Amino acid sequence: MSQDDPIAIRMKDHVATGSVGSGAQARAPALGTRSQNKKPSKTKADEKVMDTNSSSIVSKRSVERLYFEKPHYFRYFVQKPIRRSPLINRGYWLRMHAIEQTVSKFLKEPSEKRKVILNLGCGYDPLPFQYLSKYPEDCQEVTFVDVDYPELMFKKADVILEQSDMKDLIDPIQSKNQNGPVPSLRKAGQVSPFVIRSEKYVGLGCDLRNIAQLNKALDEKLHLGSCLILCTAEVSITYMDVASADALIRWVAQYNDVRFCLLEQVLPEGQNHPFAQKMMQHFEKLGTPLNCVRKYPLLKDQEIRFLQAGFHTAKGRTLWELWQDPYVTGPEVRRRINTVEPFDEWEEFALFSSHYLVLEARKSSAIAPHTHELESFVPKKQSFDQRSNTPTFPAIHSNGMKTTPSVVRTVARDLSEVHYQMVSSEVKSRRRFGAMIRFSDSLVGLHGGIGNEGRLNTTDRYELAGIGAERKIMCNPPLNIQARVYHTVTDLDSFRCLLIGGRTSPDNALRGCWLRRSGQWTSVHELPIPLYRHCATTVAYGTEHAGVLVFGGRTTGGVVVNSWFFWQEPTGWDEVLPTEMITPRFGAAIASTNACCGLLLGGMTEEGALCDEIWGWTIEHGPGRNPKLRLHLQHSLRIAPRMGSCLIWSTAGLLLIGGISNSLLPSGEEILSLSNGHYGQDTEVDMLAPASLKVDFGEDRMLFVGHAVVAIGNTLLLAGGGAVCFSFDMAIPPSDSMEQKRHVVIPAPVDPSRQETTEDNCSERVSRVTIKSAEDFDHLIEQGNPFVVEDLDLGICTKQWTVDELTRKVGPNRLVTVHQARSSHMNFQLKDFEYVKKPFSDFVLAACNGSPEYLRSLSTDKPAEEPARFHDDFPDLQDQFHLPKQLQTVDQNQHSSPLRISGPVNMWLHYDVMANVLCQIVGTKVVALYPPMDAVHFKIPPGSSSSHVNVFHPDKRGHVDYARHHFKAVIKVGDVLYIPPLWLHSVSPLDNLSVSINVFFRNMSTGYSAGRDIYGNRDFQAYENGRKTLEKIVKSIDRLPRDVGSAYLVRLGEELAELGRAHQQEPK
């Protein structure tokens, strides 16, 4: 039997351009001549199997020329060498390396017996000559036996005997001719299967299905029963019918001291995995179906196969596992391999090597028969999923057998089983390793990446029907941006995103960055160093606007870095100073878990080892302009290492999607929710835990490699992706129907345990009341809850305040200071807005046309010293608005009364220390409210009154934890909403223009802080005093040892929290 080639070009002739010379091709086969027009089907199938050897040997010659020192022996079997792609070279090198490791260990194994290495289905592989020349000391008492089809072995013998450096290694050659050596034993009428025979090397032409002939020849000449035997079968017996292959294994197992090394295909995720489909289809098309893998698809199946055949032990591992094993492929070996040629096809390499196994079976007279301990004579290692402190959970594979995959930590539950649906798209080219750009809430683009014809600089469009009502305007990156792959595009807000880096070739990283603002793309500050395969996320730093944090990646020459950089307008890039230097890596995943904290996981080192640690990070002020990054290892969150995955917030929580791991990801683990029920992007990193998110893709399984993903509303859009199946020469999936199904929307799952978090189900509507007297109002505010008062007389403003009337009364040219936002939601913590002075008429017109602008009036005379008072600041409007007599308490205790006018933009979540009433004059608003005790759930910084959480559109930055109590009020023209002190609230207008007057008043006689309070939100004196007391406590505890002081601080915190809960329960 011959070797396969899942890599090379198909060759119709047995010795086409890459194989043995024409002289060997012209010779007649040893078994006689058959009619070319009427060959038995069995012979045709055998010739197709032999054809695989011709292409395989070309690939091995390509590897030999680049990766191995001389002497070279593949060259004698390949007339015209062809340089294969880096992916094919890397895959074949690993195959050859795995066999070499097994043979080397066998040769060094102590034994008093003569050793025999029996290569079943050897093809033109010159393995015996490689060892005889490089390791002669280890081959003193060793006989190498090559076995394959007679036709193939005769041609191999001719080459061996024609090349003196091969022939000399095995002299003297034995023959029946007493006059000396002969070119081969192929003579007229000669029936002996031996084509070459010497003490060191035997060439045997025999069909492996003819076990009787094989047994007779080997036992007669080599007396195998008295030898220590190693059988190797590198992608050869898989082409046999299963019964014959199994019989061959049983025949080998009859000997007392025998080892078997099998290298062939495996289907760790069954035949429906996209790579497995392509692989199986490829060999079917060649006429060489992989028969054995259909019956023995899993590692465990192959192990049982050999145990049942009579071997005492059997252990199978994938080539990908052997690549990661430092005892088999050490770091120094991987580093050396990486210097041979530029290589960046890691995902395809992992897919290929995960679908090939190396099984090592053993039968020994020193081992009691029928033991079921699965051992390997590869040295034992501590694998990623064998650590005692990281429990694993089982995954069910296609045949129902449970195995132990590499994801560690028990999954508590599945969040949901969800289905996909089609997405309207204008896809002009299949692409992978591109970057997603959000243009609107229903329109996204996939930019760049690599397609069937090479790298791309175009953008594919995807439209989500039924989401959003805005105009479908798509502003693609300009075509003068160089085609690239492995770049990132990071949203800063709804109007801005930043495109960063990427590469052309693995040796040519790019530095260029482009900013999209309101549909216009502009070249901005270049990266400090060129980068690709980096990771990026949005963060807030200090009081500046949102920026982008970038880590790691590869730079020019493929060098892997561990640098951190931060970009923001207008200063550009700054280097971030980490508190700890972590291993350089590329292909890691990063996400923010709140404004300035986040998570970094996975990636791959320069030598190609997966990184399994998970880091939490916090960005802080550092020396000068340079931010500081505080890093700490996460021990509570344990998942298998991944490279090339996506980490994204969605309505299903923080999702980890796809990539490659230390084994092929099972279907149930390709998408993990790390937040495990905690949906807010303000979730503490220590609270994260993985849970499987199962998605039913029907019969066509997704390939989560090279994909891009974006969360929009309650949907998750996955687009692009795929991989070149080694030499199968086609992206996955190949068909048009599967190409469409790669663009999927996953509806957001609903977690039954958190039904209260959906707005319609969980929110308690604020009471709507009518009152007749001031006493009624006073009685209501004593209850301490918000309420809406209807049917009050606020003046003629509710009927006459049109845009023209307001502009005329205020004055069209009067300059006002407005918040000019970059999105539909303002975030005070991120400062994602600018203070802009503009004429009142320009502001009102822009707001009416949908611009996210907001006016909160200030004192006209002394804006920095006095609070706003409507009647003083807008004298031409003072007669048109008044507080009704029912709100006498408000009027008499009034602190301030700012005018609020807004376009379609949300006010951030915050609380006010003073009670206030919001009087709605124009338009309709929705107000979300939360009681004071829920402030702890919204991550409000100490001394602040504002939260970064967007409670109206959680899909923008992650699903919001609505705390314990959520109240909602809809206020229309003429309504007055009472907001008690310290009640958190966020306001969202339902119309393009909204006008309100907000009146703050003191409803307590004492307790307010002394000094100036322009906005009415300076905390009560008791709280400010308490914070000062806490500072003194911390200073006193600092004198104690760190662990003791920390324990006391935690205890005091718990005691304070308990006092707070008890105080809340006391009667008012």
Side-chain angles (χ1 to χ4, degrees):
M1 288 280 171
S2 62
Q3 312 256 0
D4 77 317
D5 182 45
I7 306 177
I9 302 169
R10 285 189 64 182
M11 300 182 183
K12 294 184 179 179
D13 297 325
H14 181 53
V15 285
T17 57
S19 199
V20 182
S22 58
Q25 181 184 8
R27 294 187 176 94
L31 298 182
T33 303
R34 294 188 175 97
S35 168
Q36 298 297 316
N37 297 325
K38 295 183 179 180
K39 289 185 178 181
S41 58
K42 181 178 179 180
T43 302
K44 289 182 179 180
D46 292 343
E47 286 186 351
K48 290 179 179 178
V49 172
M50 286 189 287
D51 282 346
T52 64
N53 168 73
S54 299
S55 53
S56 175
I57 211 71
V58 173
S59 297
K60 289 189 173 183
R61 171 57 179 152
S62 177
V63 174
E64 179 184 59
R65 295 178 68 205
L66 292 171
Y67 289 81
F68 290 96
E69 296 181 355
K70 292 182 178 180
H72 290 172
Y73 296 108
F74 284 101
R75 60 178 177 153
Y76 298 128
F77 300 93
V78 179
Q79 191 176 39
K80 296 180 180 179
I82 299 173
R83 180 163 179 165
R84 298 299 199 202
S85 70
L87 172 62
I88 294 173
N89 286 335
R90 181 68 60 102
Y92 260 95
W93 176 88
L94 184 55
R95 277 178 51 168
M96 296 162 70
H97 177 70
I99 295 294
E100 179 186 2
Q101 292 293 298
T102 301
V103 174
S104 296
K105 289 178 177 61
F106 174 75
L107 290 176
K108 294 182 181 301
E109 186 176 347
S111 176
E112 296 180 358
K113 296 182 179 181
R114 183 169 186 83
K115 294 179 180 178
V116 173
I117 298 177
L118 183 60
N119 194 346
L120 302 173
C122 61
Y124 290 152
D125 197 318
L127 181 143
F129 303 92
Q130 293 169 331
Y131 274 88
L132 288 168
S133 62
K134 293 181 180 179
Y135 311 106
E137 299 84 3
D138 294 332
C139 301
Q140 293 297 321
E141 297 296 326
V142 179
T143 300
F144 293 90
V145 181
D146 280 349
V147 185
D148 214 319
Y149 285 107
E151 297 96 320
L152 192 149
M153 288 302 300
F154 282 131
K155 294 175 181 178
K156 185 173 186 176
D158 288 336
V159 173
I160 292 171
L161 296 173
E162 288 170 1
Q163 304 300 328
S164 59
D165 55 344
M166 298 182 75
K167 178 174 175 292
D168 291 346
L169 290 171
I170 59 175
D171 269 341
I173 296 176
Q174 303 171 10
S175 76
K176 294 183 180 180
N177 190 327
Q178 300 299 319
N179 295 324
V182 295
S184 74
L185 297 181
R186 173 159 53 93
K187 294 292 183 181
Q190 178 71 47
V191 295
S192 171
F194 294 100
V195 297
I196 294 181
R197 189 168 71 248
S198 73
E199 182 181 359
K200 297 179 181 179
Y201 177 79
V202 173
L204 184 60
C206 180
D207 189 328
L208 293 178
R209 292 166 294 195
N210 191 344
I211 294 178
Q213 183 188 35
L214 183 65
N215 181 72
K216 180 180 178 182
L218 292 177
D219 208 40
E220 176 184 342
K221 302 300 180 183
L222 296 173
H223 308 290
L224 293 181
S226 60
C227 299
L228 180 63
I229 307 166
L230 169 64
C231 291
T232 62
E234 183 185 354
V235 196
S236 54
I237 68 174
T238 188
Y239 299 123
M240 298 171 64
D241 63 278
V242 177
S244 297
D246 287 348
L248 180 65
I249 295 172
R250 289 193 299 271
W251 170 76
V252 174
Q254 71 177 316
Y255 296 102
N256 290 329
D257 288 297
V258 64
R259 320 286 186 258
F260 201 118
C261 176
L262 177 73
L263 193 157
E264 65 184 40
Q265 294 85 351
V266 67
L267 307 177
E269 279 296 295
Q271 295 188 44
N272 70 328
H273 190 279
F275 188 99
Q277 289 179 352
K278 279 292 142 203
M279 182 174 69
M280 300 296 284
Q281 292 168 6
H282 170 79
F283 288 105
E284 291 280 354
K285 187 176 180 180
L286 292 180
T288 55
L290 304 177
N291 296 315
C292 292
V293 76
R294 295 185 184 277
K295 183 173 182 181
Y296 306 109
L298 304 178
L299 292 174
K300 187 70 68 176
D301 297 332
Q302 289 281 13
E303 291 170 349
I304 294 173
R305 177 192 192 188
F306 275 78
L307 291 173
Q308 291 178 341
F311 284 90
H312 295 161
T313 64
K315 176 63 177 178
R317 301 169 72 189
T318 66
L319 285 177
W320 183 234
E321 290 174 315
L322 295 180
W323 169 265
Q324 298 169 84
D325 189 338
Y327 291 97
V328 178
T329 314
E332 67 288 345
V333 174
R334 293 195 291 260
R335 282 192 290 268
R336 177 176 59 82
I337 294 304
N338 287 338
T339 63
V340 173
E341 58 182 336
F343 181 77
D344 196 34
E345 292 80 13
W346 288 103
E347 289 85 354
E348 288 95 339
F349 178 55
L351 287 169
F352 156 76
S353 52
S354 294
H355 282 85
Y356 279 75
L357 69 82
V358 176
L359 181 139
E360 296 171 335
R362 180 171 184 159
K363 182 182 178 184
S364 174
S365 56
I367 300 178
H370 307 303
T371 177
H372 295 286
E373 179 185 0
L374 301 181
E375 295 179 338
S376 168
F377 34 90
V378 173
K380 291 284 186 179
K381 76 181 186 76
Q382 192 80 5
S383 67
F384 290 113
D385 56 355
Q386 289 176 330
R387 293 168 296 191
S388 59
N389 63 333
T390 53
T392 60
F393 65 91
I396 305 299
H397 288 256
S398 57
N399 67 346
M401 179 176 292
K402 290 187 177 181
T403 66
T404 302
S406 56
V407 174
V408 292
R409 187 181 178 98
T410 303
V411 171
R413 57 185 172 82
D414 294 330
L415 294 183
S416 179
E417 291 195 5
V418 295
H419 299 268
Y420 70 87
Q421 64 188 63
M422 307 295 290
V423 180
S424 172
S425 61
E426 298 176 0
V427 178
K428 300 179 180 179
S429 57
R430 297 175 183 175
R431 65 183 72 212
R432 58 194 188 277
F433 304 113
M436 197 79 85
I437 304 172
R438 184 205 304 265
F439 296 106
S440 71
D441 281 348
S442 63
L443 188 66
V444 298
L446 181 57
H447 173 261
I450 188 168
N452 291 342
E453 303 300 324
R455 291 179 296 275
L456 303 167
N457 66 344
T458 55
T459 305
D460 286 337
R461 166 187 172 126
Y462 298 88
E463 182 176 333
L464 280 69
I467 298 181
E470 67 282 348
R471 290 177 296 170
K472 305 297 189 293
I473 299 175
M474 178 167 160
C475 303
N476 295 344
L479 295 179
N480 63 358
I481 296 180
Q482 189 175 6
R484 64 194 58 217
V485 296
Y486 300 121
H487 54 304
T488 58
V489 175
T490 306
D491 283 339
L492 290 160
D493 47 53
S494 295
F495 296 90
R496 298 182 304 154
C497 64
L498 187 67
L499 187 155
I500 304 172
R503 71 161 173 84
T504 54
S505 67
D507 277 342
N508 186 25
L510 302 172
R511 296 180 63 177
C513 300
W514 282 262
L515 177 69
R516 179 176 67 87
R517 182 202 296 277
S518 301
Q520 299 297 318
W521 289 88
T522 307
S523 177
V524 292
H525 321 83
E526 289 189 336
L527 282 162
I529 58 174
L531 285 178
Y532 66 94
R533 283 192 181 268
H534 53 280
C535 56
T537 189
T538 307
V539 297
Y541 169 56
T543 59
E544 302 297 328
H545 308 312
V548 178
L549 180 67
V550 170
F551 170 72
R554 307 182 76 176
T555 187
T556 300
V559 176
V560 181
V561 300
N562 61 351
S563 303
W564 295 83
F565 300 109
F566 181 71
W567 181 93
Q568 64 181 175
E569 287 190 288
T571 55
W573 291 103
D574 288 315
E575 185 175 3
V576 180
L577 307 175
T579 57
E580 185 171 348
M581 300 301 292
I582 65 178
T583 305
R585 66 196 64 196
F586 63 93
I590 193 171
S592 300
T593 53
N594 61 36
C596 57
C597 301
L599 192 69
L600 175 77
L601 59 84
M604 179 174 279
T605 65
E606 188 158 8
E607 64 267 17
L610 290 168
C611 303
D612 61 348
E613 72 266 24
I614 299 173
W615 294 88
W617 53 264
T618 302
I619 191 167
E620 302 172 341
H621 285 285
R625 269 183 48 178
N626 297 98
K628 183 174 71 173
L629 198 79
R630 182 161 46 85
L631 290 162
H632 56 282
L633 272 174
Q634 290 297 316
H635 299 289
S636 58
L637 178 62
R638 300 310 301 254
I639 58 176
R642 294 199 189 192
M643 192 276 284
S645 59
C646 298
L647 195 57
I648 185 171
W649 283 100
S650 76
T651 50
L654 181 59
L655 299 184
L656 179 64
I657 303 174
I660 59 172
S661 186
N662 48 23
S663 63
L664 202 65
L665 290 174
S667 59
E669 297 160 23
E670 289 169 322
I671 304 180
L672 294 180
S673 174
L674 302 187
S675 51
N676 197 19
H678 300 282
Y679 295 98
Q681 197 172 11
D682 55 352
T683 301
E684 293 285 354
V685 172
D686 290 339
M687 297 171 62
L688 298 176
S692 173
L693 180 66
K694 291 186 177 179
V695 184
D696 181 8
F697 291 107
E699 296 180 358
D700 298 325
R701 180 170 170 180
M702 287 273 293
L703 184 70
F704 290 95
V705 166
H707 58 288
V709 60
V710 64
I712 300 179
N714 66 340
T715 65
L716 189 70
L717 173 67
L718 296 102
V724 172
C725 287
F726 211 43
S727 67
F728 306 157
D729 202 26
M730 194 170 291
I732 303 172
S735 66
D736 291 337
S737 61
M738 289 187 68
E739 175 67 24
Q740 291 175 347
K741 290 178 183 177
R742 287 196 293 124
H743 316 308
V744 302
V745 171
I746 304 175
V750 177
D751 182 358
S753 69
R754 298 186 62 82
Q755 284 288 324
E756 76 279 8
T757 64
T758 60
E759 187 176 46
D760 290 338
N761 293 334
C762 80
S763 60
E764 181 177 339
R765 291 190 177 274
V766 173
S767 300
R768 302 184 68 86
V769 299
T770 58
I771 57 176
K772 296 182 179 180
S773 65
E775 290 75 12
D776 290 343
F777 180 77
D778 293 343
H779 175 73
L780 286 171
I781 65 175
E782 288 177 0
Q783 307 305 311
N785 292 319
F787 56 87
V788 176
V789 185
E790 301 175 320
D791 301 329
L792 291 176
D793 178 15
L794 300 177
I796 62 174
C797 57
T798 57
K799 297 178 180 178
Q800 294 191 8
W801 278 10
T802 63
V803 172
D804 291 340
E805 177 69 5
L806 281 172
T807 303
R808 186 176 64 85
K809 291 287 189 180
V810 173
N813 297 319
R814 176 175 172 176
L815 292 179
V816 292
T817 301
V818 302
H819 299 67
Q820 187 167 285
R822 300 188 184 92
S823 69
S824 60
H825 177 80
M826 291 187 294
N827 189 318
F828 187 77
Q829 298 293 338
L830 296 179
K831 289 295 193 299
D832 57 353
F833 56 84
E834 296 175 303
Y835 294 107
V836 178
K837 277 191 175 183
K838 59 172 52 182
F840 183 80
S841 60
D842 291 353
F843 157 65
V844 174
L845 181 61
C848 290
N849 289 330
S851 179
E853 300 186 19
Y854 178 84
L855 168 66
R856 193 269 191 203
S857 67
L858 302 174
S859 169
T860 303
D861 297 331
K862 298 179 179 180
E865 299 178 13
E866 300 290 338
R869 293 186 175 88
F870 174 75
H871 291 88
D872 296 336
D873 300 327
F874 299 95
D876 292 340
L877 292 173
Q878 63 175 328
D879 294 337
Q880 298 183 6
F881 168 79
H882 62 260
L883 289 173
K885 61 180 183 180
Q886 294 94 323
L887 303 186
Q888 179 181 331
T889 299
V890 177
D891 198 16
Q892 292 176 350
N893 297 280
Q894 185 178 149
H895 167 270
S896 58
S897 51
L899 172 69
R900 299 183 185 271
I901 304 176
S902 72
V905 60
N906 298 343
M907 181 66 178
W908 59 82
L909 184 68
H910 68 285
Y911 66 79
D912 300 302
V913 174
M914 292 190 185
N916 65 93
V917 291
L918 187 62
C919 306
Q920 189 66 13
I921 312 298
V922 176
T924 304
K925 290 180 177 177
V926 177
V927 184
L929 301 105
Y930 305 88
M933 284 297 290
D934 277 3
V936 296
H937 301 290
F938 292 99
K939 303 299 179 184
I940 299 174
S944 174
S945 59
S946 299
S947 168
H948 74 275
V949 176
N950 183 347
V951 297
F952 289 108
H953 295 288
D955 57 284
K956 301 292 186 183
R957 299 294 303 275
H959 195 66
V960 172
D961 184 345
Y962 280 119
R964 301 294 184 268
H965 312 89
H966 173 207
F967 292 81
K968 184 175 75 172
V970 178
I971 54 175
K972 304 182 293 294
V973 174
D975 286 345
V976 175
L977 171 65
Y978 168 70
I979 303 176
L982 265 66
W983 273 68
L984 291 102
H985 52 281
S986 182
V987 183
S988 177
L990 299 182
D991 304 293
N992 273 10
L993 187 68
S994 175
V995 181
S996 309
I997 295 177
N998 197 186
V999 185
F1000 293 83
F1001 66 101
R1002 295 181 175 89
N1003 66 331
M1004 297 188 307
S1005 57
T1006 59
Y1008 297 102
S1009 293
R1012 189 163 50 203
D1013 187 4
I1014 296 174
Y1015 298 102
N1017 61 357
R1018 183 173 173 182
D1019 279 304
F1020 288 109
Q1021 188 66 54
Y1023 176 69
E1024 293 190 352
N1025 292 341
R1027 293 191 65 216
K1028 293 177 182 178
T1029 303
L1030 284 176
E1031 291 179 3
K1032 295 178 181 178
I1033 293 173
V1034 172
K1035 287 182 179 179
S1036 66
I1037 286 181
D1038 277 344
R1039 303 188 188 99
L1040 301 175
R1042 181 179 294 264
D1043 55 343
V1044 176
S1046 298
Y1048 277 137
L1049 284 174
V1050 170
R1051 286 186 60 188
L1052 286 172
E1054 292 176 350
E1055 291 172 21
L1056 278 173
E1058 185 60 33
L1059 287 172
R1061 289 187 287 268
H1063 190 270
Q1064 186 186 26
Q1065 302 301 321
E1066 293 178 0
K1068 295 183 179 180

